[in-house]
């Protein structure tokens, strides 16, 4: 029995039925990591010892009938942007090489309190800046569908770990699409919850007003299970929402019944058309037809300000990031580089040398952009203007959700591109987040569900479902329905069509 | 640079400065709140703990850590705002003030920028008018906003304690994140020759208000209340504002006055020499009474403020604000008038009391069971003298109103006279215990027992036969000399009234 091929929900059942122990499961995933991660490079750090200890404790609890949660004993991988007490946290940056945080992020604490063995920390674009995981200081992650291609970014490590069966569940973070876009290009499910739905405490901030942690899984139901576990109010994060959320698992189970009668679906006019890969659009159009066949009412909806979302995003993000990254000053943690040829360097000289060596090009680029955008005399023209656009985008959503229950679009305009292809063209790289960014600006939730394989390259494409703030349950209802309908059409999960990795036993 | 070294610049006299220029002042007072926990995390705020023992990921600015606002600090900020007659914002935010400094963990300070919690207030400051009558000067408050304190750096190895020449530097982050309220005045114009006096009176009265509100220890010597003095001069009668300097580290009430006076004279000297004033930060030196140049503050300094995205806006409900208004202490001006009437103090006595910062102390001493005159005598006589000698404030001496009242009770009971009471205060300052314990341990009680006094009186008469004869002849006034002799023998501990009676009895 290859446990690594099962969904988390199936593993929960197998554990409950006594067919497998958590130690066996954890061992199976650790073996898979040992077998294939040399090619995929999804992990920056693997904690076999810690994961097995947690698994042993879980098995003991199960024997005593004292489970901590539904997912007790199911292993998980965590993006390296969340702090883990006693485990390295690098954010994909040299500047944090060797840093071991003294505390757990709230999400990590919740995973530990729920009894999930943490397999390790996954690779990412440095400080989550990028759409391809090529900006990691520790080298790129490879897409399990084609090792010469990118796994998406910035959470390419988490998506690739799940897509290559190295982990059944993973945690990602989504600032402009970093959960959903990697999900789309690796054939996995990725959810960006409502802003404030999952605590940001311990999430090393890229852009505080946009960042949101969420699940990366193989199925919609698995995401719902994980989302319920990590969500909820956290007094340590004052932006976290104190209200109770509806049940996501319940919504996913309803959706799996493939009935969308009475659901009004809006297709966003601005997120389709020229520049979108035909194979991606074909899969999207088919998915929309399936929704109609399941009883959904589909209408075209215009969100006219979405065309400005990218520009606003690339002002707000660097502005906040430039301030967040100021703390990396070589004084208290992480890397410290002494300038060459200076006898008694000043604090400023040490800071300069450390940052020069410790930050990558993309990070430096965005710090400069952000510093400029916040400078006196430019604030109103750039940051202030971007915030106004943000308000307009939120109004577009409000107007659209007055008409429809959910909005849909392809998650990313193309399938995975080749490693290195867009590395020298930051603007082309940024275009990948075109469809995902509006939800971050508005604080609304979104999910990416695999929509099939593009005809021209045989690579996965994603369908994005967007809902109003606090209505995350709609993502699970519609997402689970689309997933079930597509499985029926494709004769199984899309991820099962991924090529077996070289050197891995079948 | 102006080309003028401030240490070699001849200051012009204060009077001369005023002949040609009008001063404009701005005062920025930082108050460290006495909340139990820090502004944005749950760390304790106790003063004087071992370095870096009161820290957590949030106040250390570790990657991933986030702030959450301390409700008690917001409450204190609102109460201060209300007491300063400010409007309280219905909705305001924190902002990030971005700059690099080693004692600032995140390299930005979480503060309030264009949206302070309190704004548009005033404080009526009472000073002595030209005719000796109390006169009120209104100081307008621009804003009172919330922010966090920074850590403290210690430079080790250099001769001066400054960073230059130091071998290494240590940082203590215990203070990082302690809540601060910064109270900023509008430019204070029209103060003319009263500017130094008004500055001191404003800070004094503000400090009294803070103490009365119970929101801070307001100890200038411990830095829990700190004043920055902005000053500029404009040509007389033009009503404008000149280039200003900001003098930091002004750490006593007396220094506020001195710093304003010094900067007025220095500005005038620089302007008279044909140079212009540099907009800069200056440091105040308590020992020499001068300011020296700090870093230059130019337009190049850009804090890149933007709203703190990790914190939700602060939106105090009107009900809460009104509830807090109900907790305010009595208006200081009204309170003063009431107390003056109750205590029967003259205008002069009251002014001296307020000037010495003794109002609250006297009030508490009276509450502990003494007469107003007795309380005033001890605080303005004895304590003010001692504070002056040791260069501190009277409430920082370490003698409490309760102790003063206890000493006075011993005087009233005839156990002590004033001279002996002063020795009890010596004992209190040396930490020798309660007044009663000190009287017992030092053997200070007055002797009124006729046996012991009689022997001393006999000795005095025997030693001064001439004086005794005069008294026998009816010159009763001469008894003073014999009383003095008895006192000397009894080391001041004789009951003077009884001694006089015994002398007159024996020589009748």
């Amino acid at each position: 029995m290859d446990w690594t091929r099962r969904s988390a929900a199936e593993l929960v059942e197998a554990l409950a039925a006594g067919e497998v122990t958590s130690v066996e499961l954890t061992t199976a995933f650790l073996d898979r990591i040992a077998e294939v991660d040399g090619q995929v490079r999804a992990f920056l750090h693997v904690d076999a010892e810690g994961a097995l200890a947690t698994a042993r404790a879980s098995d003991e609890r199960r024997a005593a009938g004292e489970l901590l949660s539904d997912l007790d004993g199911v292993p998980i991988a965590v993006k390296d942007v969340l702090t883990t007490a006693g485990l390295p946290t690098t954010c994909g940056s040299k500047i944090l090489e060797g840093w071991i945080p003294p505390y757990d992020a709230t999400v990590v604490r919740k995973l530990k309190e729920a009894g999930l063995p943490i397999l390790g920390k996954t690779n990412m674009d440095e400080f989550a800046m990028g759409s391809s995981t090529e900006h990691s200081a520790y080298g790129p992650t490879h897409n399990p569908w084609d090792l010469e291609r990118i796994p998406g970014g910035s959470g390419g490590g988490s998506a690739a770990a799940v897509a290559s069966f190295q982990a059944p569940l993973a945690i990602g973070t989504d600032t402009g699409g970093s959960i959903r876009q990697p999900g789309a290009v690796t054939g996995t499910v990725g959810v960006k919850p409502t802003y404030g739905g999952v605590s940001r405490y311990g999430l090393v901030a890229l852009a505080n007003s946009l960042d949101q942690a969420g699940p990366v899984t193989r199925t919609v139901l698995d995401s719902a299970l994980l989302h319920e576990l990590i969500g909820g109010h956290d007094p340590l994060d004052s932006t976290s929402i104190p209200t109770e959320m509806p049940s996501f698992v319940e919504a996913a189970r309803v959706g799996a019944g493939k009935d969308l009668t009475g659901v009004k679906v809006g297709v966003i006019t601005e997120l389709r058309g020229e520049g979108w890969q035909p194979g991606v659009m074909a899969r999207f159009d088919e998915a929309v037809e399936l929704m109609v066949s399941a009883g959904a009412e589909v209408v075209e909806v215009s969100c006219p300000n979405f065309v400005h979302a990218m520009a606003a995003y690339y002002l707000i993000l660097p502005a906040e990031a430039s301030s967040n990254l100021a703390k990396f000053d070589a004084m208290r943690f992480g890397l410290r580089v002494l300038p060459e040829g200076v006898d008694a360097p000043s604090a400023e000289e040490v800071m300069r040398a450390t940052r020069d060596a410790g930050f990558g090009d993309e990070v430096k680029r965005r710090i400069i952009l952000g510093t400029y955008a916040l400078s006196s005399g430019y604030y109103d023209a750039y940051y202030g203007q971007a915030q106004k656009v943000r308000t307009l985008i939120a109004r577009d959503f409000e107007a659209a959700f007055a008409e429809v229950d959910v909005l849909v679009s392809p998650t990313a305009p193309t399938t995975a591109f080749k490693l290195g292809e867009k590395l020298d063209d930051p603007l082309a790289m940024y275009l990948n987040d075109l469809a995902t960014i509006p939800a971050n600006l508005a604080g609304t939730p979104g999910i990416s569900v695999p929509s099939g394989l593009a005809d021209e390259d045989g690579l996965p494409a994603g369908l994005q479902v967007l809902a109003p703030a606090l209505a995350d349950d709609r993502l699970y209802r519609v997402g689970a329905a689309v997933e079930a309908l597509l499985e029926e059409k494709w004769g199984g999960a899309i991820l099962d069509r991924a090529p077996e990795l070289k050197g891995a036993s079948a | 640079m102006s080309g003028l070294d401030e240490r070699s610049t001849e200051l012009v006299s204060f009077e001369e400065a005023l002949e040609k220029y009008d001063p404009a002042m701005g005062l920025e007072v930082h108050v460290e709140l006495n909340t139990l926990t820090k502004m944005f995390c749950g760390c304790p705020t106790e003063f004087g703990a071992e370095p870096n023992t009161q820290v957590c990921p949030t106040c250390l600015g570790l990657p991933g850590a986030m702030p959450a606002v301390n409700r008690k600090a917001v409450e204190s900020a609102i109460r201060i705002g209300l007491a300063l007659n400010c409007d309280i914002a219905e909705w305001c935010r924190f902002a990030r003030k971005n700059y690099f400094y080693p004692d600032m963990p995140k390299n930005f300070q979480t503060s309030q920028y264009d949206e302070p919690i309190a704004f548009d207030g005033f404080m009526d400051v009472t000073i002595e008018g030209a005719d000796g009558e109390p006169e009120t000067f209104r100081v307008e408050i621009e804003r009172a906003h919330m922010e966090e304190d920074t850590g403290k750096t210690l430079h080790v190895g250099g001769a001066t304690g400054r960073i230059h020449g130091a071998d290494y530097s240590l940082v203590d982050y215990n203070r990082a994140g302690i809540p601060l309220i910064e109270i900023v005045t509008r430019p204070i114009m029209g103060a003319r020759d009263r500017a130094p006096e008004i500055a001191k009176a404003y800070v004094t009265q503000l400090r009294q208000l803070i103490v009365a509100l119970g929101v801070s220890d307001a100890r200038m010597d411990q830095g829990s209340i700190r004043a920055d003095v902005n000053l500029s001069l404009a040509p007389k009668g033009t009503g404008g504002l000149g280039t200003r300097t900001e003098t930091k580290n002004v750490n006593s009430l007396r220094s506020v006055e001195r710093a304003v006076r010094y900067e007025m004279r220095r500005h005038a000297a620089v302007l008279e020499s044909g140079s212009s004033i540099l907009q800069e930060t200056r440091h105040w030196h308590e020992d020499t009474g001068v300011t020296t140049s700090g870093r230059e503050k130019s337009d190049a300094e850009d804090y890149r403020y933007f709203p703190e995205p990790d914190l939700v806006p602060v939106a105090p409900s009107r009900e809460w604000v009104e509830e807090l208004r109900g907790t305010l202490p009595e208006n200081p001006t009204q309170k003063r008038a009431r107390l003056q009437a109750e205590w029967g103090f003259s205008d002069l006595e009251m002014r001296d009391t307020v000037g010495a910062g003794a109002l609250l102390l006297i009030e508490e001493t009276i509450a502990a069971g003494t007469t107003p005159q007795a309380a005033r005598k001890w605080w303005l006589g004895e304590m003010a003298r001692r504070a002056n000698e040791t260069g501190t404030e009277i409430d920082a001496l370490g003698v409490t109103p309760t102790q003063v009242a206890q000493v006075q009770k011993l005087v009233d009971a005839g156990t002590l006279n004033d001279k002996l009471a002063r020795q009890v205060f010596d004992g209190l300052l040396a930490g020798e215990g309660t007044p009663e314990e000190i009287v017992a341990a030092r053997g200070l009680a007055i002797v009124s027992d006729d046996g012991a006094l009689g022997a001393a009186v006999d000795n005095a008469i025997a030693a001064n036969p001439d004086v005794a004869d005069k008294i026998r002849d009816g010159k009763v006034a001469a008894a003073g000399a014999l009383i003095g002799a008895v006192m000397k023998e009894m080391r001041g501990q004789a009951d003077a009234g009884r001694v006089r009676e015994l002398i007159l009895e024996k020589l009748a």
Side-chain angles (χ1 to χ4, degrees):
Chain A
M1 181 66 67
D2 186 357
W3 296 108
T4 64
R5 296 273 167 170
R6 303 292 192 88
S7 73
E10 288 165 351
L11 295 178
V12 167
E13 282 175 24
L15 283 165
E19 293 166 30
V20 68
T21 65
S22 177
V23 169
E24 285 166 353
L25 281 186
T26 304
T27 306
F29 283 105
L30 288 169
D31 288 350
R32 175 77 182 171
I33 291 169
E35 198 177 359
V36 305
D37 205 44
Q39 301 165 60
V40 180
R41 299 190 172 278
F43 285 89
L44 289 176
H45 185 82
V46 176
D47 183 26
E49 206 176 300
L52 285 169
T54 305
R56 272 193 296 277
S58 172
D59 288 334
E60 280 164 24
R61 279 193 297 274
R62 192 173 295 280
E66 293 167 350
L67 290 182
L68 296 171
S69 71
D70 288 346
L71 290 169
D72 196 333
V74 180
I76 191 165
V78 175
K79 189 176 179 181
D80 204 31
V81 73
L82 289 151
T83 58
T84 39
L87 271 187
T89 299
T90 67
C91 299
S93 181
K94 285 282 181 212
I95 212 156
L96 272 178
E97 190 163 4
W99 184 58
I100 296 182
Y103 76 109
D104 278 324
T106 296
V107 167
V108 172
R109 177 176 59 76
K110 288 191 169 204
L111 295 177
K112 287 183 176 175
E113 286 172 2
L116 282 78
I118 295 173
L119 296 166
K121 306 294 290 290
T122 56
N123 198 11
M124 57 185 284
D125 283 302
E126 185 175 1
F127 287 109
M129 297 182 191
S131 308
S132 68
T133 315
E134 291 168 289
H135 294 295
S136 167
Y138 303 97
T141 295
H142 301 259
N143 191 322
W145 289 80
D146 176 349
L147 295 173
E148 289 180 10
R149 290 178 188 266
I150 59 108
S154 66
S158 286
V162 172
S164 60
F165 307 102
Q166 300 185 68
L169 301 168
I171 300 289
T173 60
D174 191 312
T175 304
S178 295
I179 290 176
R180 289 164 288 160
Q181 180 257 8
V185 301
T186 59
T188 55
V189 175
V191 178
K192 181 198 100 69
T194 295
Y195 182 76
V198 175
S199 171
R200 282 189 297 117
Y201 188 79
L203 193 179
V204 181
L206 166 56
N208 322 55
S209 72
L210 303 163
D211 295 341
Q212 186 57 60
V216 180
T217 64
R218 291 198 210 121
T219 70
V220 175
L221 177 60
D222 284 2
S223 275
L225 284 164
L226 185 54
H227 189 167
E228 281 197 7
L229 187 86
I230 60 175
H233 180 63
D234 178 9
L236 295 176
D237 172 359
S238 78
T239 64
S240 85
I241 299 166
T243 54
E244 195 77 14
M245 291 268 192
S247 168
F248 309 138
V249 174
E250 179 62 24
R253 293 200 195 281
V254 169
K258 292 181 269 190
D259 182 9
L260 289 174
T261 310
V263 177
K264 287 189 81 172
V265 177
V267 174
I268 305 167
T269 316
E270 285 75 14
L271 298 183
R272 56 182 306 168
E274 267 182 55
W276 295 70
Q277 189 178 321
V280 169
M281 282 315 301
R283 294 293 85 81
F284 173 71
D285 291 337
E286 278 169 22
V288 172
E289 276 166 34
L290 284 173
M291 283 190 249
V292 173
S293 73
E297 187 189 330
V298 175
V299 293
E300 187 97 357
V301 172
S302 175
C303 294
N305 293 294
F306 279 21
V307 294
H308 305 300
M310 183 85 74
Y313 177 81
Y314 278 101
L315 286 168
I316 292 166
L317 179 144
E320 294 183 8
S322 70
S323 170
N324 291 329
L325 293 171
K327 69 176 58 167
F328 297 93
D329 58 6
M331 296 299 146
R332 286 154 296 137
F333 46 78
L335 188 70
R336 176 178 292 179
V337 175
L338 298 176
E340 277 180 46
V342 183
D343 263 351
S346 66
E348 284 79 8
E349 285 166 333
V350 174
M351 206 190 299
R352 193 179 303 136
T354 302
R355 293 176 154 195
D356 188 31
F359 284 145
D361 288 346
E362 185 63 23
V363 172
K364 288 174 185 164
R365 179 153 44 229
R366 295 199 197 184
I367 290 174
I368 291 167
L369 263 173
T371 304
Y372 184 79
L374 287 176
S375 302
S376 105
Y378 298 101
Y379 180 93
D380 289 336
Y382 296 112
Y383 189 81
Q385 201 68 15
Q387 291 292 11
K388 285 180 192 157
V389 170
R390 193 170 184 171
T391 305
L392 294 177
I393 286 166
R395 285 196 194 140
D396 276 0
F397 271 119
E398 273 168 39
F401 288 128
E403 303 290 318
V404 298
D405 298 311
V406 293
L407 291 166
V408 293
S409 76
T411 308
T414 67
T415 55
F417 50 88
K418 292 232 162 113
L419 287 160
E421 195 181 315
K422 298 187 180 176
L423 212 44
D424 296 327
D425 190 351
L427 291 179
M429 183 84 90
Y430 295 169
L431 282 172
N432 257 271
D433 299 330
L434 195 65
T436 47
I437 282 172
N440 297 84
L441 289 171
T444 51
I447 189 171
S448 177
V449 180
S451 59
L453 305 179
D455 299 320
E456 54 274 22
D457 50 23
L459 292 169
L463 167 90
Q464 173 176 241
V465 183
L466 301 169
L470 302 177
D472 303 46
D473 56 326
R474 293 186 201 172
L475 304 180
Y476 292 105
R477 160 114 197 255
V478 175
V482 171
E483 180 183 54
L485 292 162
L486 282 165
E487 268 195 33
E488 201 170 55
K489 175 184 157 69
W490 289 74
I494 287 152
L495 198 55
D496 287 340
R497 297 177 169 249
E500 187 48 62
L501 292 162
K502 293 188 294 278
S505 55
Chain B
M1 296 296 288
S2 66
L4 273 173
D5 180 350
E6 58 271 353
R7 271 154 297 203
S8 62
T9 305
E10 283 288 323
L11 294 182
V12 302
S13 75
F14 187 65
E15 292 69 25
E16 208 179 323
L18 281 161
E19 268 170 35
K20 294 193 174 169
Y21 302 100
D22 287 334
M25 278 190 301
L27 294 159
E28 292 172 19
V29 176
H30 286 83
V31 178
E32 215 174 62
L33 298 180
N34 61 1
T35 51
L36 293 175
T37 57
K38 291 186 180 180
M39 186 77 223
F40 299 118
C41 65
C43 285
T45 53
E46 204 180 310
F47 181 80
E50 282 290 297
N52 297 309
T53 54
Q54 303 185 342
V55 293
C56 73
T58 293
C59 58
L60 285 176
L62 292 187
M66 291 177 67
V69 176
N70 181 341
R71 185 181 158 93
K72 191 75 190 170
V74 176
E75 182 181 300
S76 296
I78 293 173
R79 293 181 70 230
I80 290 172
L82 290 172
L84 291 171
N85 306 295
C86 289
D87 287 344
I88 305 301
E90 298 201 12
W91 191 93
C92 64
R93 281 183 295 192
F94 282 94
R96 289 188 183 179
K97 183 179 184 181
N98 293 283
Y99 65 102
F100 288 94
Y101 207 71
D103 65 6
M104 201 167 54
K106 296 167 294 192
N107 285 320
F108 62 78
Q109 182 187 29
T110 308
S111 178
Q112 290 194 302
Y113 174 51
D114 50 352
E115 299 168 305
I117 181 102
F119 52 92
D120 288 349
F122 64 87
M123 178 185 251
D124 284 331
V125 174
T126 308
I127 48 168
E128 190 179 337
D131 53 1
E133 291 298 304
E135 190 181 303
T136 297
F137 189 96
R138 177 159 291 192
V139 173
E140 293 184 1
I141 308 291
E142 185 183 297
R143 56 189 283 152
H145 71 250
M146 303 179 274
E147 60 184 35
E148 58 180 340
D149 213 340
T150 60
K152 275 191 219 172
T153 46
L154 179 68
H155 306 295
V156 183
T160 58
R162 303 216 162 205
I163 195 160
H164 287 290
D167 292 331
Y168 59 92
S169 301
L170 298 170
V171 192
D172 176 7
Y173 291 107
N174 280 353
R175 200 181 67 181
I178 287 187
L180 286 181
I181 304 296
E182 182 174 344
I183 299 157
V184 183
T185 67
R186 291 224 166 80
I188 301 168
M189 316 284 284
R192 302 281 304 140
D193 60 317
R194 317 298 297 277
E197 187 191 349
I198 287 169
K200 182 188 175 189
Y202 166 74
V203 180
T204 306
Q205 225 170 291
L206 182 59
R207 183 166 168 271
Q208 284 160 5
L209 179 69
I210 298 296
V211 169
L213 285 165
V215 295
S216 169
D217 305 334
R219 294 279 300 265
M220 285 195 102
D221 57 330
Q222 289 185 0
S224 57
I225 178 164
R226 333 195 259 272
D228 296 342
V229 175
N230 288 302
L231 190 112
S232 72
L233 293 185
K236 193 172 178 178
T238 56
L241 291 169
T243 305
R244 71 166 194 277
T245 53
E246 184 180 0
T247 303
K248 301 257 187 195
N249 301 343
V250 185
N251 53 8
S252 75
L253 296 172
R254 196 167 76 101
S255 292
V256 172
E257 183 165 13
R258 288 166 76 205
V260 170
R261 185 178 293 270
Y262 179 85
E263 277 297 281
M264 283 172 68
R265 295 175 64 196
R266 192 185 66 83
H267 277 228
V270 172
L271 294 171
E272 283 304 288
S273 75
S275 300
S276 48
I277 295 292
L278 283 179
Q279 186 174 329
E280 63 179 357
T281 300
R282 296 187 68 84
H283 295 299
W284 170 251
H285 301 279
E286 180 77 38
D287 45 354
T288 50
V290 303
T291 67
T292 56
S293 179
R295 69 201 146 95
E296 209 170 312
K297 200 170 191 174
S298 66
D299 290 340
E301 187 150 26
D302 184 352
Y303 291 121
R304 290 175 285 117
Y305 284 102
F306 73 102
E308 167 57 79
D310 277 339
L311 290 170
V312 289
V314 176
S317 75
R318 295 301 97 178
E319 293 75 24
W320 190 34
V321 171
E322 287 318 305
E323 198 185 307
L324 293 176
R325 199 189 295 279
T327 69
L328 294 184
E330 193 177 0
N331 169 312
T333 313
Q334 287 169 358
K335 178 176 177 172
R336 222 163 71 176
R338 175 176 63 80
L339 291 179
Q340 187 178 346
E342 273 177 29
W343 296 348
F345 280 11
S346 69
D347 287 349
L348 183 67
E349 285 172 338
M350 199 62 186
R351 206 157 50 237
D352 288 349
T353 299
V354 172
L359 198 70
L360 194 67
L361 294 167
I362 290 178
E363 194 184 2
E364 287 175 7
T365 309
I366 294 168
T370 61
T371 64
Q373 286 301 339
R376 193 181 70 83
K377 179 184 75 182
W378 290 123
W379 285 109
L380 294 191
E382 188 64 14
M383 297 307 152
R385 181 183 61 78
R386 288 171 187 261
N388 209 24
E389 279 168 12
T390 50
T392 178
E393 308 290 334
I394 54 174
D395 58 354
L397 279 172
V399 174
T400 68
T402 313
Q403 290 170 332
V404 170
Q406 285 168 345
V407 171
Q408 179 58 35
K409 276 180 193 166
L410 293 170
V411 173
D412 293 343
T415 310
L416 296 176
N417 56 27
D418 287 2
K419 193 177 166 194
L420 293 172
R422 288 191 189 99
Q423 293 182 47
V424 175
F425 286 122
D426 290 340
L428 284 170
L429 289 168
E432 291 170 16
T434 66
E436 275 94 351
E437 285 165 1
I438 293 164
V439 168
R442 291 194 173 201
L444 294 177
I446 286 175
V447 178
S448 51
D449 155 49
D450 284 359
L453 291 180
V457 168
D458 290 344
N459 291 344
I461 291 171
N464 300 281
D466 300 354
V467 181
D469 284 345
K470 283 185 187 168
I471 297 170
R472 286 194 189 95
D473 289 348
K475 293 184 177 170
V476 177
L482 292 185
I483 295 171
V486 171
M487 279 293 184
K488 196 172 177 185
E489 185 180 335
M490 302 287 291
R491 298 201 319 281
Q493 284 172 251
D495 179 339
R498 187 60 195 147
V499 169
R500 183 184 173 83
E501 284 170 21
L502 285 173
I503 291 169
L504 295 180
E505 275 172 29
K506 286 178 190 274
L507 297 177

